[in-house]
Amino acid sequence: MAELFVKICGLRTERDVDVAVAAGADAVGFVFAAGPRTVDAPTVRRLAARVPEQVLTVGVFRGQTVEQVRELTEDSGIRAVQLHGDEGPEYCETLRAPGRTLIRAVAAGERTPRLGEFGEDLLLLDAPDPGSGKAWNWGAPDFTAPDGRWLLAGGLRPDTVRAAVAATGAWGVDVSSGVESARGVKSPELIRAFLTAARA
């Protein structure tokens, strides 16, 4: 079985990035959407420059125009775009570019999303209130996992990630608030603990 893909999201400082990379993260995420973890393009460009080629740099967007997303992506130098809004297929198609990974985030609900419906490379199944740190009922008996490469997100922590992966069969996981000591403040200890638990 392939090793679990792990993304650490909402990073804002050099220490956050260095710890996540050293602990073995496959991807690091920077939030351009409004909220307690928002960073600007110059900051992300500086942080992304610290990230080795094999680790994917991801920008997280919600409710922004295609032009804003494209500009922030180019100005920051990130290699993946993660869309958290109600963007449609045309919006997603406009953002496709050589060497760019497109991630479509979908709130968990009644309908199981299908990977590639909007031309995305990866699917992310999140809590109905993304970024809140609240877990959703991924352990429900009627839960149906998407096919292919998809990431599980929403309220994951070092002590719950293994059970969540076992219950859902997720290809990867995405965590932000579950590795924080306070809202928007990453904990090096929790980042390391999460990576260790996820790969156990």
Side-chain angles (χ1 to χ4, degrees):
M1 184 178 172
E3 189 174 70
L4 187 73
F5 184 96
V6 179
K7 173 173 169 270
I8 307 293
C9 200
L11 305 184
R12 299 168 65 203
T13 69
E14 287 89 347
R15 185 186 70 168
D16 292 348
V17 170
D18 293 348
V19 169
V21 168
D26 299 290
V28 290
F30 306 102
V31 178
F32 290 111
R37 304 173 185 92
T38 308
V39 281
D40 59 25
T43 300
V44 174
R45 178 167 284 281
R46 179 168 48 81
L47 296 178
R50 306 173 73 85
V51 180
E53 186 69 24
Q54 71 271 18
V55 178
L56 190 64
T57 50
V58 183
V60 178
F61 301 90
R62 183 174 193 173
Q64 284 134 304
T65 66
V66 167
E67 290 74 23
Q68 287 173 318
V69 174
R70 189 182 289 121
E71 184 177 342
L72 286 166
T73 299
E74 290 170 0
D75 289 350
S76 63
I78 53 165
R79 292 170 30 226
V81 168
Q82 180 174 313
L83 300 173
H84 264 274
D86 53 2
E87 298 87 358
E90 289 181 10
Y91 183 110
C92 295
E93 183 59 36
T94 305
L95 291 170
R96 292 196 64 79
R100 180 183 298 162
T101 300
L102 197 59
I103 304 169
R104 180 168 66 104
V106 181
E110 295 176 10
R111 178 181 168 274
T112 302
R114 191 163 49 82
L115 175 64
E117 279 180 305
F118 290 12
E120 73 276 7
D121 303 293
L122 283 174
L123 198 60
L124 186 145
L125 204 53
D126 203 353
D129 185 10
S132 66
K134 296 174 184 171
W136 52 278
N137 194 14
W138 39 256
D142 59 347
F143 171 75
T144 303
D147 292 326
R149 303 199 308 169
W150 70 280
L151 306 177
L152 176 67
L156 299 177
R157 304 188 312 266
D159 60 333
T160 64
V161 62
R162 280 316 307 170
V165 172
T168 61
W171 174 82
V173 291
D174 183 0
V175 67
S176 184
S177 58
V179 291
E180 291 179 345
S181 54
R183 192 157 172 76
V185 181
K186 291 292 181 281
S187 160
E189 293 74 25
L190 289 175
I191 290 174
R192 295 186 193 103
F194 187 88
L195 264 300
T196 299
R199 299 268 169 72

